[in-house]
C-alpha cells in the first residue's frame, strides 16, 4: 500500500550543500519532513535545526539514526566519510540519498551497494545534472533517435571565479572525484548501453600554478572511448571568471543536441558598452530545479515509485572512470577499463 504520511528525513553533514538540501526538504517538498540534523562541528546542527524547525540536532551519526520515526537520510559529509556513513545508515534500515562521490575506491563502492541491497533500502546518488530540464530534454531526444547513433559526446564543468580555495586544504584528485565525476555520470547516462573501454586524462594547475608541485590540479581534460565506437571528452576548470558554466553535447549520425547555458536567461542587455547577459554564479542557483527534483524523486521512492534514478551502480561506473583518470595522469598513458 502506498505511503500517505510525510517521509521523515535526517541530514548528515550541515555544510553548504547539506544545508541547501535540508532547506529543500523543509521548505520545498510537501511530502517530506526534516526531522533531524547531525554534524560534528559544535553548534552546527543546532543552528540549522533551529532555522528550519527540525526536531533533533546531534553531533554524531549514531544519535541521528536513533531519532524516533526517522525514515531516510541525506549524506552530505566530506567525501571521505560517505561510504562508512552510508553503510551505517543502511544497517539501520534507512533509505539513503548520498552526495557524490559515493565512495573513493571500487571496493568501498561495492561495500556500499552491498549494504543497501542487504538491508533492502533505496539508495540514490546525487547526480543532479540528470534532473536539469535541458539535460533531461536532451536525453529524451537521444532516446527518441533524433540525433541518430552517438559519435562524439562532450561534457564540461567550469566553476565560477575568482578561485578562492586553499589548494593545501583541497584533497588530492578532487577534480576527478568531485568535479568531473558529474561529467562522467552525464556521459554514461547520455550514451546509454555503451561501455567505456579506454580513458586518457591530462591535467595541470593553470589557475594556481604555485600549487602544482604538491599535486594540486585545477584543470583537466579527459578522453573516453566507448565500445560502440563513440568518443567523449570531459573537461573541467576551477575558475571561469564569467560564471558557472555547465554544458553537454551529443553529436550523432543524424544530428546534434546541446544542453546547458551559462546565461541565467535569454535576456540580453544592449547599451553603450555593448551586449551583455547575466550568468549563473552558484550551483544552487543554476540547478535549483534539479536539486529539488532529485530529492523529490528520492522521497517518491519511499512511496513505491521506483523511477530510473542514479543508483549505487551508476555511481560505481562514474567512479571507475575517475580512478582510471588518476592512473592515466600518474602513468601519462591511456588506461584500459576492464
Amino acid at each position: 500500500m502506498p505511503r500517505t504520511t510525510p517521509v521523515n528525513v535526517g541530514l548528515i553533514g550541515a555544510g553548504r550543500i547539506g544545508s541547501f538540501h535540508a532547506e529543500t526538504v523543509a521548505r520545498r517538498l510537501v511530502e517530506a519532513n526534516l526531522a533531524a540534523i547531525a554534524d560534528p562541528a559544535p553548534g552546527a546542527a543546532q543552528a540549522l535545526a533551529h532555522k528550519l524547525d527540525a526536531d533533533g540536532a546531534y553531533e554524531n551519526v549514531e544519535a541521528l539514526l536513533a531519532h524516533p520515526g526517522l525514515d531516510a537520510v541525506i549524506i552530505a559529509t566530506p567525501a571521505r566519510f560517505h561510504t562508512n556513513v552510508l553503510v551505517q545508515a543502511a544497517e539501520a534500515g534507512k533509505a539513503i540519498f548520498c552526495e557524490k562521490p559515493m565512495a573513493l575506491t571500487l571496493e568501498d563502492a561495492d561495500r556500499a551497494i552491498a549494504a543497501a541491497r542487504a538491508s533492502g533500502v533505496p539508495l540514490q546518488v546525487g547526480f543532479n545534472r540528470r534532473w536539469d530540464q535541458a539535460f533531461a530534454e536532451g536525453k529524451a531526444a537521444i532516446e527518441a533517435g533524433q540525433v541518430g547513433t552517438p559519435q562524439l559526446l562532450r561534457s564540461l564543468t567550469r566553476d565560477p571565479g575568482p578561485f578562492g580555495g586553499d589548494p593545501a586544504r583541497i584533497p588530492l584528485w578532487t577534480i576527478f572525484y568531485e568535479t568531473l565525476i558529474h561529467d562522467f555520470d552525464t556521459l554514461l547516462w547520455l550514451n546509454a548501453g555503451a561501455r567505456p573501454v579506454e580513458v586518457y586524462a591530462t591535467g595541470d594547475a593553470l589557475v594556481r600554478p604555485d600549487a602544482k608541485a604538491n599535486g594540486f590540479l585545477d584543470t583537466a581534460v579527459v578522453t573516453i572511448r566507448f565500445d560502440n565506437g563513440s568518443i567523449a571528452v570531459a573537461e573541467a576548470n576551477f575558475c571561469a571568471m564569467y560564471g558557472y558554466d555547465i554544458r553537454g553535447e551529443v553529436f550523432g549520425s543524424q544530428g546534434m543536441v546541446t544542453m546547458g547555458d551559462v546565461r541565467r536567461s535569454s535576456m540580453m542587455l544592449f547599451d553603450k558598452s555593448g551586449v551583455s547577459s547575466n550568468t549563473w554564479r552558484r550551483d544552487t542557483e543554476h540547478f535549483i530545479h534539479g536539486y529539488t527534483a532529485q530529492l523529490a524523486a528520492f522521497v517518491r521512492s519511499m512511496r513505491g515509485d521506483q523511477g530510473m534514478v542514479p543508483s549505487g551502480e551508476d555511481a560505481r561506473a562514474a567512479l571507475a572512470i575517475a580512478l582510471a583518470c588518476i592512473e592515466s595522469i600518474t602513468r601519462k598513458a591511456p588506461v584500459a577499463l576492464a
Side-chain angles (χ1 to χ4, degrees), residues 296-320:
F298 174 60
V299 170
R300 287 197 302 272
S301 73
M302 301 284 293
R303 295 176 175 274
D305 181 357
Q306 301 300 319
M308 297 297 292
V309 299
S311 65
E313 288 79 5
D314 292 327
R316 188 190 192 280
L319 175 64

Side-chain angles (χ1 to χ4, degrees), residues 6 14 20 24 70 73 88 96 102 169 209 225 283 314 337:
F20 182 80
T24 295
L70 191 71
V73 296
Q88 279 184 274
I96 300 160
M102 181 183 70
R169 296 174 61 87
R225 300 186 70 95
D283 55 352
D314 292 327
L337 291 176

Side-chain angles (χ1 to χ4, degrees), residues 205-226:
L206 302 182
V207 178
R208 287 291 303 269
D210 57 309
K212 182 178 179 179
N214 296 324
F216 176 72
L217 298 177
D218 52 43
T219 306
V221 177
V222 179
T223 302
I224 307 166
R225 300 186 70 95
F226 290 86

Side-chain angles (χ1 to χ4, degrees), residues 6-304:
V7 173
N8 290 318
V9 180
L11 171 73
I12 303 172
R16 184 184 70 87
I17 196 64
S19 296
F20 182 80
H21 287 329
E23 183 178 340
T24 295
V25 173
R27 305 275 168 81
R28 303 184 187 100
L29 299 182
V30 297
E31 297 179 329
N33 171 57
L34 182 65
I37 300 169
D39 192 287
Q46 289 79 0
L48 186 59
H50 177 73
K51 175 183 176 183
L52 298 177
D53 299 319
D55 293 333
Y58 308 99
E59 292 188 1
N60 63 78
V61 175
E62 293 80 4
L64 178 133
L65 293 175
H67 184 83
L70 191 71
D71 300 306
V73 296
I74 296 171
I75 300 172
T77 63
R80 64 187 182 276
F81 300 123
H82 283 179
T83 303
N84 286 341
V85 174
L86 192 159
V87 171
Q88 279 184 274
E91 290 176 346
K94 311 305 179 186
I96 300 160
F97 177 92
C98 183
E99 264 301 335
K100 51 75 193 171
M102 181 183 70
L104 300 182
T105 67
L106 293 181
E107 293 77 13
D108 272 352
D110 290 337
R111 186 162 61 94
I113 293 167
R117 184 177 296 132
S119 296
V121 296
L123 168 58
Q124 182 177 328
V125 182
F127 291 121
N128 61 283
R129 212 164 293 185
R130 296 188 183 203
W131 306 104
D132 178 77
Q133 181 177 346
F135 281 86
E137 291 180 356
K139 168 73 168 175
I142 296 166
E143 289 184 335
Q146 292 179 271
V147 303
T149 303
Q151 296 174 347
L152 297 172
L153 300 92
R154 184 184 185 213
S155 182
L156 65 84
T157 299
R158 296 174 185 165
D159 290 334
F163 176 71
D166 179 359
R169 296 174 61 87
I170 296 175
L172 195 64
W173 309 120
T174 287
I175 198 165
F176 298 119
Y177 279 132
E178 301 194 44
T179 304
L180 280 163
I181 197 85
H182 274 297
D183 299 276
F184 301 151
D185 176 71
T186 298
L187 292 168
L188 290 166
W189 178 59
L190 294 176
N191 202 11
R195 183 175 65 85
V197 295
E198 184 182 81
V199 172
Y200 179 69
T202 183
D204 209 331
L206 302 182
V207 178
R208 287 291 303 269
D210 57 309
K212 182 178 179 179
N214 296 324
F216 176 72
L217 298 177
D218 52 43
T219 306
V221 177
V222 179
T223 302
I224 307 166
R225 300 186 70 95
F226 290 86
D227 63 356
N228 65 351
S230 61
I231 303 170
V233 174
E235 66 169 80
N237 184 281
F238 285 174
C239 184
M241 292 303 295
Y242 56 86
Y244 185 53
D245 192 359
I246 305 292
R247 283 176 282 144
E249 178 181 293
V250 177
F251 171 86
S253 58
Q254 300 296 322
M256 179 179 72
V257 61
T258 65
M259 297 147 281
D261 195 335
V262 70
R263 297 174 301 170
R264 291 184 64 98
S265 74
S266 59
M267 188 277 286
M268 303 287 289
L269 173 65
F270 296 74
D271 63 10
K272 63 183 179 181
S273 300
V275 183
S276 62
S277 178
N278 290 330
T279 58
W280 298 108
R281 292 288 165 168
R282 292 177 67 87
D283 55 352
T284 48
E285 296 173 349
H286 193 333
F287 290 116
I288 186 169
H289 170 75
Y291 277 127
T292 302
Q294 69 175 355
L295 288 179
F298 174 60
V299 170
R300 287 197 302 272
S301 73
M302 301 284 293
R303 295 176 175 274

